[in-house]
Amino acid sequence: MINQSTTKATVGIIGTGLAGLSCATRLQALGFEVCAYEKSRGPSGRMSTRSGEGWSADHGAQYFTARDPLFIQEINAWIKAGVAAAWHPRLFVYEGDQWRESISNGHRYVGTPAMNSPGKYLAQNLSIQFNHTIDKIFRQNGKWFIHSLETGDIDQAFDYLILAIPAPQATSLVTSTDYSLDGFASGVNMLGCWTVMARFTECPDIPFDAAFINNEIISWISRNNSKPGRASQETWTIHANPQWSQQWIELDKGVASSHILECAKKLGLHCENAEISIHRWRYASGAINSGSGFILNPAMKLGLCGDWLNGGRVEGAWLSGQKLANAINI
Ligand SMILES: Cc1cc2nc3c(=O)[nH]c(=O)nc-3n(C[C@H](O)[C@H](O)[C@H](O)COP(=O)(O)OP(=O)(O)OC[C@H]3O[C@@H](n4cnc5c(N)ncnc54)[C@H](O)[C@@H]3O)c2cc1C
């Protein structure tokens, strides 16, 4: 049932990754008036896909799993809408110079036709301003105001403000004001990730679709076109491990790429004839134990949600957004 006292409250949400989208859709369903701001051209954040003619590569989240009944229900709705499907890769593990088949048999899901499809689906009935990097927030006379790097002051004032962005970005927004929050993001050590995408004209002779790699620069490789609904060109995504990525996050892209491809070659993925692109994720992974899965300061009407407050990963991000919305509605 909608709480009548908050029906007309306005909410500004910064960030339209899965946490922001989840919070926005839930709040809108509860009767709040929601407007979201996103610095990129589209929604979905780290659940992202790069594509070109005949190829695509998920270069952020690779797949998602679901344990919580609410998230399982949400995934079923996505599957019904055609924006997600189960993925059954031939999955290997590399450890101590040995390959073995993975014995992990949990369900894995991906967005279809791309990892950002569930995000686009959630965004379709929301008011979102893209290409808006919010670089200043402030509160006056009980209302929140925000400023966009690209367009200046935003006219609309909000009753509530929600930061659905990674911890370091939220910290810099909040510390540019006097609004500190208890137990806030200072303890979160988010790590980067270097991601290489390799496009082949011929299928490499590799006996698996995806592999977890231990004790190497690379931690994960996967054949993107083994996922349901993908473009057909043979395309592999390679993630460097979080510690190596973080240590070398400022490397020149070409140099980072050559280290990663050298390691790929050692693992049997020869990319000499492939077309290569590389992406630097500054804030890929990391989480704190926040207890509740979100932060809300009811007096200031300021909230935070995101994967980093709820165990990391896609499922945690979605649940964090739902939990924050429900807490605001009390
Ligand atoms: C390389 C990589 C691999 C991963 N693999 C997996 C995996 O296999 N399985 C899994 O479950 N999870 C994986 N993850 C993690 C998963 O992607 C995240 O947990 C989840 O997508 C986080 O969602 P979020 O909404 O919390 O944050 P984000 O997706 O980061 O969303 C934040 C949004 O805020 C926007 N933003 C930031 N600052 C501002 C600002 N100042 N103004 C406006 N907008 C702003 C950003 O552009 C972004 O769209 C991976 C992540 C990476 C990077």
Side-chain angles (χ1 to χ4, degrees):
M1 201 173 92
I2 293 173
N3 178 342
Q4 292 302 324
S5 65
T6 55
T7 303
K8 299 273 191 261
T10 53
V11 186
I13 298 188
I14 303 173
T16 61
L18 200 61
L21 292 167
S22 162
C23 193
T25 48
R26 178 77 182 137
L27 283 171
Q28 194 160 283
L30 289 166
F32 290 80
E33 191 186 318
V34 178
C35 190
Y37 297 86
E38 167 59 51
K39 70 176 183 176
S40 306
R41 281 176 299 159
S44 204
R46 281 172 275 161
M47 285 180 77
S48 55
T49 304
R50 231 184 237 188
S51 56
E53 192 140 341
W55 69 276
S56 71
D58 300 331
H59 62 306
Q62 294 298 293
Y63 61 84
F64 42 94
T65 51
R67 293 207 181 104
D68 187 282
L70 255 191
F71 189 56
I72 292 171
Q73 198 180 312
E74 179 71 7
I75 290 182
N76 285 334
W78 294 352
I79 292 172
K80 205 167 162 199
V83 296
W87 178 41
H88 303 287
R90 291 170 298 159
L91 188 59
F92 275 38
V93 177
Y94 181 82
E95 193 155 34
D97 291 341
Q98 302 279 331
W99 289 101
R100 64 176 164 81
E101 228 167 306
S102 167
I103 49 166
S104 138
N105 54 8
H107 289 290
R108 294 181 173 80
Y109 301 91
V110 293
T112 50
M115 197 50 100
N116 58 12
S117 302
K120 286 183 174 170
Y121 170 73
L122 293 178
Q124 64 191 348
N125 295 321
L126 293 172
S127 163
I128 304 177
Q129 304 294 316
F130 295 107
N131 301 308
H132 277 63
T133 308
I134 303 307
D135 60 352
K136 208 162 17 150
I137 61 172
F138 62 99
R139 191 164 157 82
Q140 208 169 34
N141 302 329
K143 294 274 189 187
W144 282 103
F145 296 85
I146 61 178
H147 179 274
S148 152
L149 184 66
E150 294 83 0
T151 60
D153 286 331
I154 304 287
D155 287 339
Q156 197 178 349
F158 300 101
D159 298 310
Y160 284 88
L161 188 65
I162 291 172
L163 312 185
I165 57 185
Q169 291 164 320
T171 306
S172 67
L173 258 191
V174 172
T175 51
S176 71
T177 72
D178 291 333
Y179 310 116
S180 59
L181 283 163
D182 287 343
F184 186 52
S186 52
V188 192
N189 182 23
M190 290 195 81
L191 301 177
C193 179
W194 279 109
T195 299
V196 167
M197 291 148 273
R199 307 197 313 268
F200 297 85
T201 44
E202 280 178 20
C203 193
D205 185 19
I206 301 276
F208 53 79
D209 296 319
F212 294 107
I213 313 292
N214 293 308
N215 305 320
E216 298 288 343
I217 287 176
I218 292 172
S219 59
W220 167 262
I221 48 182
S222 89
R223 193 168 155 252
N224 206 74
N225 45 310
S226 70
K227 295 178 179 177
R230 289 338 191 238
S232 57
Q233 187 177 348
E234 187 76 9
T235 308
W236 286 71
T237 299
I238 308 169
H239 287 323
N241 80 53
Q243 289 71 28
W244 186 88
S245 295
Q246 188 59 38
Q247 185 181 356
W248 299 107
I249 200 73
E250 300 301 342
L251 266 190
D252 171 80
K253 283 189 172 178
V255 177
S257 182
S258 61
H259 282 292
I260 293 165
L261 293 177
E262 190 61 33
C263 180
K265 190 174 177 177
K266 175 180 161 189
L267 296 168
L269 185 65
H270 294 259
C271 299
E272 290 84 358
N273 298 323
E275 282 197 59
I276 301 297
S277 30
I278 183 161
H279 183 83
R280 174 184 6 224
W281 292 100
R282 285 198 180 272
Y283 309 118
S285 60
I288 49 165
N289 185 355
S290 69
S292 57
F294 64 91
I295 296 175
L296 176 62
N297 182 326
M300 295 215 318
K301 301 192 172 174
L302 179 60
L304 282 89
C305 60
D307 66 334
W308 61 276
L309 285 157
N310 204 29
R313 312 193 78 70
V314 168
E315 177 174 25
W318 186 85
L319 287 167
S320 174
Q322 295 282 301
K323 288 176 183 182
L324 175 57
N326 291 337
I328 287 173
N329 190 48
I330 288 171

